[in-house]
Amino acid sequence: MLSDPVFSIRYISGFIDLTLLFPRVLWCEESVQAIWALCFDKEVQARVAEDKELGVVEFLDDTRHSENARVKASCNGALWTLKDALKTSSHKKYKEIGE
């Protein structure tokens, strides 16, 4: 089931929702690590780089300034994983983040 990109995208938005509802460090660490893992899938990368409604790129970009070193590292890792997809995104801000 996790190999289905649409299912993976739903998980990603669920992790973001959890983190925003319960802004505890543990939730944030686990959410960002899960998002990073899901972003290794090429179809997930393409969807995240094009679908602004998901809010994944904004979430990672905002959260990478966390004071928690693990959260910061996971956000930067996820954005690095998304780098190629972001470079080809139709959204200007995403392209800038990917550079």
Side-chain angles (χ1 to χ4, degrees), residues 1-9 12 33-49 56 77-78 80-86:
M1 203 182 298
L2 284 176
S3 62
D4 177 7
V6 174
F7 190 77
S8 298
I9 295 296
I12 288 173
Q33 289 170 356
I35 291 168
W36 185 11
L38 292 169
C39 285
F40 279 96
D41 182 285
K42 295 290 184 192
E43 291 181 53
V44 170
Q45 291 174 10
R47 179 86 181 270
V48 165
V56 175
W80 183 86
T81 302
L82 292 166
K83 188 175 185 172
D84 290 337
L86 293 174

Side-chain angles (χ1 to χ4, degrees), residues 75-95:
C75 284
N76 285 323
L79 288 168
W80 183 86
T81 302
L82 292 166
K83 188 175 185 172
D84 290 337
L86 293 174
K87 285 181 182 179
T88 61
S89 175
S90 60
H91 306 294
K92 183 180 177 186
K93 180 179 178 181
Y94 288 12
K95 283 183 180 183

